Amino acid sequence: PRNDMIASGIHNKYILKLRTNYKKIILYLPTHRNWGVDFDLKFIENGLHKMNDFAIDKKICFLYKPHPNEIELIENMAVDLQNVRVLGGSEFEDLYDYLYECDFLISDYSGVIYDFLPSNKPIVLFDYDLENYQANDGGVPEDYFLHQVGPICNTWEEMLAEVSALLENDEWKNKRLSETNYFNARCNGNNSRLLVKIIKEMFVDNK
């Protein structure tokens, strides 16, 4: 049901406003990590600066939405960056208000990559800490590699190079379409209605 937003025709006002100044809106959505006190926040900060430098020439806006558990660590890192916005606050709590409005998704092991598939827009998988994530966090299911939906990158430089390549020539389009049929076979905008109908039949009509 949460993917019904893709067929709603409702446009996010914040994204619409950004489009007056930028050619492309790219959303970066990393999944939650069990960051300890030894985590190198400088790695994230340096990466945001690299994203900004990359984006200025191409008139791109990067929207970076950290996991809610990490927003306080990161929200002030992009204050002085022209082409990177860190999304925090209540207006950005519901990801599905603006997910499908964006032109491109960068993520990692998050299930959001499968929710984004029905848009058939480019996806890059930025797995800079795959080994550590496998050992100390949630781990990665086999489907992640078996049904890979975009190029996997390990450094900021690799990730930005893949973004540039996909903007020029989207070689993953057919693969994403195939995986959309696997993960989102019923993505037609009517799943919320169908769910309500099933619940009503089970708990109201059968009384």
Side-chain angles (χ1 to χ4, degrees), residues 88-115:
S90 58
E91 74 231 79
F92 301 111
E93 280 182 4
D94 188 352
L95 167 64
Y96 296 88
D97 275 349
Y98 53 91
L99 175 63
Y100 303 114
E101 295 282 298
C102 298
D103 302 303
F104 200 121
L105 177 67
I106 302 167
S107 192
D108 41 41
Y109 329 107
S110 172
V112 75
I113 60 177
Y114 306 113
D115 290 340

Side-chain angles (χ1 to χ4, degrees), residues 40-54 64 77 81 84 126 156-157 160:
D40 185 10
L41 282 172
K42 203 71 182 170
F43 171 80
I44 300 296
E45 188 172 8
N46 288 341
L48 295 185
H49 281 268
K50 292 177 192 292
M51 290 167 76
N52 189 65
D53 292 342
F54 171 88
Y64 176 21
M77 287 184 180
L81 301 181
V84 177
F126 185 28
W156 290 103
E157 289 79 10
L160 292 173

Side-chain angles (χ1 to χ4, degrees), residues 158-194:
E158 285 181 9
M159 182 268 282
L160 292 173
E162 290 292 355
V163 168
S164 184
L166 284 172
L167 288 174
E168 290 293 326
N169 181 25
D170 186 0
E171 295 182 345
W172 283 81
K173 190 171 185 176
N174 291 335
K175 181 65 160 61
R176 289 195 310 271
L177 186 59
S178 171
E179 299 304 341
T180 298
N181 294 332
Y182 178 80
F183 287 103
N184 297 282
R186 292 177 179 266
C187 190
N188 54 16
N190 294 314
N191 289 295
S192 297
R193 291 188 183 91
L194 178 61

Side-chain angles (χ1 to χ4, degrees), residues 58-78:
K58 298 179 182 292
K59 294 201 73 174
I60 290 170
C61 182
F62 280 103
L63 302 181
Y64 176 21
K65 188 175 190 308
H67 189 278
N69 291 348
E70 285 120 35
I71 186 65
E72 290 184 5
L73 297 170
I74 294 168
E75 61 184 342
N76 293 321
M77 287 184 180

Side-chain angles (χ1 to χ4, degrees), residues 116-134:
F116 192 69
L117 273 178
S119 71
N120 205 14
K121 297 174 183 176
I123 299 170
V124 163
L125 307 171
F126 185 28
D127 299 356
Y128 60 85
D129 60 348
L130 177 59
E131 218 172 279
N132 183 66
Y133 189 84
Q134 289 275 48

